[in-house]
Amino acid sequence: VFRVEFYLQNIIKYIINKFNESYLDEFTIESVSLEAGFTTKSGFYKSFKKLYQTTPSEYFNKLKSI
């Protein structure tokens, strides 16, 4: 289980880094999550919420407002 969570954390960090590079200005969160290795939108959202206690949309909207 630890290896899976570590792997998921790294994938989500990759997606967050893409956001910081303004990558999400051109692509959706879902398309970036598929590029990063998630096979479904729901799998990505579930994993993200488990790690960050918020949805990806809420998380990235908060970052945009800072």
Side-chain angles (χ1 to χ4, degrees):
V1 175
F2 177 73
R3 288 183 186 182
V4 172
E5 286 188 18
F6 179 75
Y7 176 73
L8 292 174
Q9 286 175 344
N10 284 329
I11 292 175
I12 292 173
K13 285 179 185 177
Y14 169 85
I15 294 167
I16 291 170
N17 286 337
K18 288 293 186 183
F19 174 82
N20 291 334
E21 297 170 3
S22 300
Y23 198 77
L24 292 178
D25 292 344
E26 297 178 36
F27 300 97
T28 65
I29 294 170
E30 291 81 13
S31 66
V32 175
S33 70
L34 292 173
E35 174 189 323
F38 282 93
T39 56
T40 64
K41 175 183 171 180
S42 61
F44 168 64
Y45 273 67
K46 184 178 178 180
S47 297
F48 194 98
K49 191 161 187 170
K50 181 178 178 181
L51 292 171
Y52 291 94
Q53 292 75 46
T54 188
T55 67
S57 298
E58 292 169 343
Y59 181 88
F60 291 120
N61 285 336
K62 285 179 187 175
L63 287 181
K64 282 183 183 178
S65 67
I66 293 176

